[in-house]
């Protein structure tokens, strides 16, 4: 390789890496502010104020900027390889002349497309057309639907996950998938979701444990709405399912791994089901849950404290005998000193007190399911 070729090759490799990172945007580029959202923030406005209008502008400027990357390479080569005289079109080789022509045509086509999208207040934009496909009473046009999405997006109870350019958002009415060039939309009342695939990743930058990525397909009964796929971490699946009102189906052979908190809840419920039902004594009223104090309790907890004599805090069995029986495996502090929290949402408290393999929970606590008294289910 000659010395004349080294600057050209170095610039080519560096520009290719830059283009890949600029288009797919790793975390390092986001931290440095090298994103469409950050570079053009003054023109894009605020996503929280106008979600639909923001993404109409974002996708349009993204098309313009990405289509300019080939032309940027040619202009960069004018500086990196001055001996090629790329600034003088009549002196360059045929291959470079064709490359420049294609780059200019791509840029011209992108501007033509964006101008067409912007006609009649962006009525021709793909996002506007997607909204128009959902237009039905009480929403007669895509503008009123855009306002509805904007209002729901501003609420704090929405489900949102993913990077800024590739997010999954679930509001009270909509399922949204934000991509680089488009925003897919489906009404919850018109769609159903199917878990189609799960992939296990042993290495994750955000977690030391393996990560399971689920692929879910969103299909709408509206024939004008295209189906689309969304991807979620299995740890976010429970929150997604809670916010989603549409039915969810599992394809065959797809197993969703549970979090430690979900495993505890499953073990808790299974242990409760194994115990005899507790009969509420005559004249005794159902007390509120001692954890949340919001709803009537549905579980009676009988705690064991492993000391030779009753500690004075632990309750007695239903038949009146002391709950404490033995001094084996004495723990620092009687478990009865821990007030039983509600099963949800504070189940993490239990996993922090007991071992994660769930065996200690079953050994140290005895549950009786029934109409009374300690915690809500």
């Amino acid at each position: 390789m000659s010395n004349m070729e080294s600057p050209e090759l170095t610039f080519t490799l560096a520009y290719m890496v830059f283009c890949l990172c600029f288009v797919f945007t790793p975390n390092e580029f986001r931290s440095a502010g090298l994103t469409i959202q950050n570079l053009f923030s003054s023109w894009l406005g605020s996503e929280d104020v106008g979600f639909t209008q923001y993404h109409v502008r974002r996708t349009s400027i993204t098309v313009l900027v990405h289509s300019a990357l080939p032309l940027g390479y040619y202009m960069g080569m004018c500086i990196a390889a001055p001996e090629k005289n790329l600034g003088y079109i009549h002196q360059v080789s045929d291959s470079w002349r064709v490359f420049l022509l294609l780059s200019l045509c791509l840029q011209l086509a992108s501007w033509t497309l964006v101008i067409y999208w912007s006609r009649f207040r962006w009525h021709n934009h793909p996002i506007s057309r997607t909204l128009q496909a959902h237009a039905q009473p009480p929403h007669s046009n895509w503008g009123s639907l855009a306002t509805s999405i904007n209002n729901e997006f501003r609420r704090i109870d929405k489900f949102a996950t993913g990077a800024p350019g590739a997010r999954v958002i679930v509001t009270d009415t909509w399922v949204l998938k934000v991509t680089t060039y488009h925003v897919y939309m489906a009404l919850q009342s018109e769609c159903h979701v199917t878990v189609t695939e799960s992939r296990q990743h042993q290495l994750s930058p955000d977690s030391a444990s393996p990560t399971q990525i689920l692929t879910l397909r969103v299909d709408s009964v509206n024939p004008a709405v295209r189906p689309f796929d969304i991807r979620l971490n299995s740890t976010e699946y429970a929150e997604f399912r809670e916010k989603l009102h549409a039915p969810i189906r599992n394809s065959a052979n797809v197993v969703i791994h549970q979090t430690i908190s979900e495993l505890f809840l499953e073990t808790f419920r299974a242990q409760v089901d194994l115990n005899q039902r507790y009969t509420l004594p005559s004249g005794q009223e159902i007390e509120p849950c001692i954890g949340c104090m919001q709803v009537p309790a549905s579980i009676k907890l009988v705690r064991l404290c492993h000391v030779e004599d009753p500690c004075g805090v632990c309750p007695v069995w239903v038949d009146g005998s002391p709950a404490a029986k033995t001094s084996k495996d004495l723990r620092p502090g009687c478990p009865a000193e821990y007030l039983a929290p509600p099963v949800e949402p504070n189940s993490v408290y239990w996993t922090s007190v007991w071992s994660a393999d769930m065996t200690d929970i079953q050994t140290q606590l005895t549950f009786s399911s029934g109409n009374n008294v300690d915690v809500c289910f």
Side-chain angles (χ1 to χ4, degrees), residues 73 88 125 292 314:
Y73 173 73
Y88 303 93
H125 194 280
C292 66
C314 292

Side-chain angles (χ1 to χ4, degrees), residues 90-111:
H90 62 281
Q91 296 181 5
V92 302
S93 62
D94 291 340
S95 58
W96 279 108
R97 191 176 292 113
V98 170
F99 180 83
L100 176 60
L101 179 62
L102 292 176
S103 300
L104 290 173
C105 289
L106 180 61
Q107 182 69 180
L108 180 62
S110 65
W111 275 100

